[in-house]
Amino acid sequence: MTIVIGLTGGIASGKSTISSMLQEKGIRVVDADHIARVVVEVGEPAYNQIVEEFGIEILKEDKTINREKLGTIIFSDENKRQTLNSIVHPAVRKEMLKQVEEEKNKQSNAVVLDIPLLFESKLTHIVDKTLLVYVDQETQMKRLMKRNGYNEEEAKMRMDSQLPLYEKRELSDYIIDNNGSIESTKKQLNDLLEKIL
Ligand SMILES: CC(C)(COP(=O)(O)OP(=O)(O)OC[C@H]1O[C@@H](n2cnc3c(N)ncnc32)[C@H](O)[C@@H]1O)[C@@H](O)C(=O)NCCC(=O)NCCS
Ligand SMILES: Nc1ncnc2c1ncn2[C@@H]1O[C@H](COP(=O)(O)OP(=O)(O)OP(=O)(O)O)[C@@H](O)[C@H]1O
């Protein structure tokens, strides 16, 4: 039996950091953010729909989507965010399920789905267990501003577009506290894997 683990958190809470640790252990991670980039490549159905909805102003000279520009639009307008979600999410879900099937066919012990919006998009039914990477809001804000070079307002808008992590805590089967050092996070992950695999 392959256990399907939904890895979630908030923006800049540490999902990619934990994904890398999982991959180092040979566990397959299906990354929703990565798939969401692939399904909007030039000429893909979702790309065409995005251009139709948001106009050619959101394209760069080489016709690829200007992600910074689209992000500024959708993180400050909930309706537009929902429009983008309704275009991108079905294609992401389909590809993720395909990759999970591949892993099940290989009879792997586990496959991890890294999905930032696991709870918001009501996708918990596609996983067996949910694992939250938790940080407090201050740490999340600091790390997001530092990593992306956002000012406080830009960081806050992005955080506010997601369910707060203290609410996700209540919904999760397992929690890794990523406020401390990378070493402490790694230890929590190793202890958890020992328990569930
Ligand atoms: C708006 C876009 C173009 C901005 O691209 P950018 O390269 O700046 O950010 P990236 O894709 O790396 O996302 C960074 C983080 O933002 C958060 N985020 C992204 N999209 C959303 C959204 N629709 N709602 C809430 N948070 C989101 C996630 O935590 C994600 O990990 C892009 O995020 C996008 O296409 N979003 C819609 C698809 C989506 O929901 N992706 C998230 C998982 S499926
Ligand atoms: N324990 C830690 N100590 C210090 N910095 C950390 C720690 N964990 C993660 N970081 C840093 O915080 C930032 C966010 O981490 P990461 O990219 O793993 O988050 P994420 O949840 O994958 O983000 P996103 O939702 O945007 O994809 C990165 O710059 C990362 O290097």
Side-chain angles (χ1 to χ4, degrees):
M1 261 278 286
T2 309
I3 179 169
V4 183
I5 300 171
L7 172 66
T8 195
I11 187 162
S13 70
K15 295 178 301 300
S16 306
T17 304
I18 288 190
S19 287
S20 303
M21 295 173 186
L22 288 161
Q23 280 163 329
E24 273 170 29
K25 293 184 157 294
I27 297 174
R28 165 96 172 261
V29 179
V30 176
D31 179 347
D33 278 343
H34 173 73
I35 296 173
R37 284 169 190 263
V38 174
V39 299
V40 301
E41 281 173 4
V42 182
E44 292 296 323
Y47 170 91
N48 296 334
Q49 278 176 274
I50 291 172
V51 179
E52 223 166 85
E53 276 296 334
F54 292 89
I56 53 167
E57 304 82 68
I58 54 100
L59 296 183
K60 296 200 282 193
E61 258 179 34
D62 64 2
K63 303 273 187 261
T64 58
I65 290 172
N66 184 334
R67 303 180 67 85
E68 213 182 310
K69 209 164 180 181
L70 188 55
T72 305
I73 295 170
I74 66 121
F75 288 116
S76 58
D77 183 329
E78 194 182 341
N79 284 330
K80 291 192 172 145
R81 187 161 67 245
Q82 275 173 11
T83 300
L84 181 66
N85 289 350
S86 71
I87 296 171
V88 180
H89 289 180
V92 173
R93 200 164 24 222
K94 192 169 161 211
E95 178 58 28
M96 279 193 309
L97 290 173
K98 188 179 138 215
Q99 295 191 22
V100 168
E101 274 320 299
E102 279 169 18
E103 218 45 39
K104 282 185 173 171
N105 289 338
K106 284 190 213 157
Q107 300 184 329
S108 311
N109 276 348
V111 57
V112 173
L113 304 191
D114 176 349
I115 314 179
L117 305 175
L118 180 68
F119 294 117
E120 291 90 336
S121 302
K122 304 195 174 20
L123 284 176
T124 47
H125 65 281
I126 70 169
V127 302
D128 299 315
K129 293 286 179 193
T130 54
L131 166 57
L132 177 73
V133 192
Y134 178 80
V135 282
D136 59 43
Q137 284 180 314
E138 205 185 313
T139 306
Q140 189 180 5
M141 173 84 95
K142 264 196 216 148
R143 289 185 185 159
L144 178 57
M145 288 170 67
K146 186 172 171 205
R147 188 193 61 185
N148 288 41
Y150 293 145
N151 62 33
E152 216 170 299
E153 193 197 355
E154 289 168 322
K156 193 172 179 310
M157 273 198 315
R158 283 163 172 82
M159 283 166 58
D160 287 349
S161 71
Q162 304 180 339
L163 209 57
L165 292 177
Y166 59 79
E167 284 186 30
K168 292 188 184 182
R169 278 188 82 105
E170 306 302 317
L171 304 169
S172 302
D173 294 312
Y174 309 116
I175 299 169
I176 290 183
D177 186 321
N178 188 35
N179 284 300
S181 67
I182 296 282
E183 273 318 303
S184 147
T185 294
K186 198 176 234 175
K187 179 166 187 330
Q188 292 174 63
L189 178 65
N190 287 342
D191 290 349
L192 178 68
L193 291 176
E194 215 161 277
K195 194 172 97 182
I196 63 177
L197 293 188

